[in-house]
Amino acid sequence: MITGATSGIGEACARKFAAGGYDLIITARRQERLEALKRELAEMGAAVTTLCFDVRDLEATKAALAGLDGLAIDVLINNAGLALGLEKEYEGDFDDWNTMIDTNVKGLLTVTRLIVPGMVKRNSGHVINIGSVAGDAAYAGGAVYCATKAAVKTITDGLRIDLAETAVRVTNIKPGLVETNFSVVRFHGDEQRAENVYKGIEPLTGADIADVAFYAASAPKHVQIAEVLVLATHQASGSVIHRD
Ligand code: NDP
Ligand code: 8X3
């Protein structure tokens, strides 16, 4: 099950796991894109269920997941998320803050809370959370987004501790710059500004992150890839990026 599968990292994960023989539950808010991806993945031989809901909406999330009717989920990729804005903290937009916190933190928690009990019952499963290098340290204009990804790190660590007595594995993948729709969303549709983020550096792709997620899920059962920081070669940290 992959949340936020209509674009970027989630979509790439869907392709990678389908190619690797998994059946898929793909979720996001845009039904048409889910259906288009479903058709593509079905051609690869995957059985695909689409669930259209907003992870910020607790009741809608509960209702959508209840519809799975006990389907066993082997791997949950908590990927749905976003950054909004790059303003100084003292000038930030209240709605942007709420959307980031509600999606990246509370939405991830909600899905986790609803899916993990089944994994515990079966004593089998894997939760892969998409954190970020942004969770390692704040960068200019990124305080609230960075804080949500620091929260993802802590929430992931806490889940791993709470599941240590089970065979369920927990992974935090922390990408750096990945060229997806992320920056277009961050800059509220300003494509020119979004393009500038990836100028002068070869960024990661969604497929690069999907490779890491697939590796973590494919590791022998006694191996738990707890955390992975994945950066473009010319990125050294959240704020050190060498550009030609
Ligand atoms: P995209 O914008 O390309 O994809 C984001 C996905 O999340 C979309 O499928 C979107 O689907 C879904 N989504 C967003 N909000 C919600 C919501 N409220 N409910 C359900 N689904 C939602 O960005 P990325 O692929 O880059 O981002 C994926 C994850 O990776 C995010 O958590 C992001 O923070 C993280 N990340 C990204 C990096 C980057 O540089 N790109 C680096 C590090 C981490 P829809 O709009 O259809 O709902
Ligand atoms: C996304 C990567 O560096 O733009 O989490 O915050 S960054």
Side-chain angles (χ1 to χ4, degrees), residues 4 6-7 9 29-30 54-55 79 131 145 149 175-176 178 180-181:
T6 49
S7 174
I9 294 171
R29 292 165 300 179
R30 288 172 292 175
D54 187 325
V55 295
N79 164 77
Y145 176 67
K149 290 301 181 175
V178 187
T180 62
N181 210 38

Side-chain angles (χ1 to χ4, degrees), residues 73 104 150-151 168 172 182 202 241:
I73 292 165
N104 301 357
V168 180
N172 183 18
F182 177 85
E202 184 177 349
I241 298 168

Side-chain angles (χ1 to χ4, degrees), residues 43 61 68 79 127 135 146 158 166 203 205:
E43 278 174 24
T61 305
L68 290 175
N79 164 77
V127 179
C146 293
T166 78
T205 65

Side-chain angles (χ1 to χ4, degrees), residues 176-198:
L177 285 177
V178 187
E179 191 163 12
T180 62
N181 210 38
F182 177 85
S183 294
V184 175
V185 171
R186 167 169 248 169
F187 298 127
H188 298 279
D190 184 339
E191 299 203 359
Q192 187 54 56
R193 198 172 170 202
E195 259 177 42
N196 288 339
V197 173
Y198 309 106

Side-chain angles (χ1 to χ4, degrees), residues 5-6 26 28 30-42 48-52:
T6 49
I26 51 174
R30 288 172 292 175
Q31 181 72 42
E32 273 178 27
R33 290 184 79 111
L34 285 173
E35 290 306 325
L37 184 60
K38 177 179 176 170
R39 284 192 292 277
E40 186 190 321
L41 300 175
V48 182
T49 303
T50 62
L51 294 178
C52 189

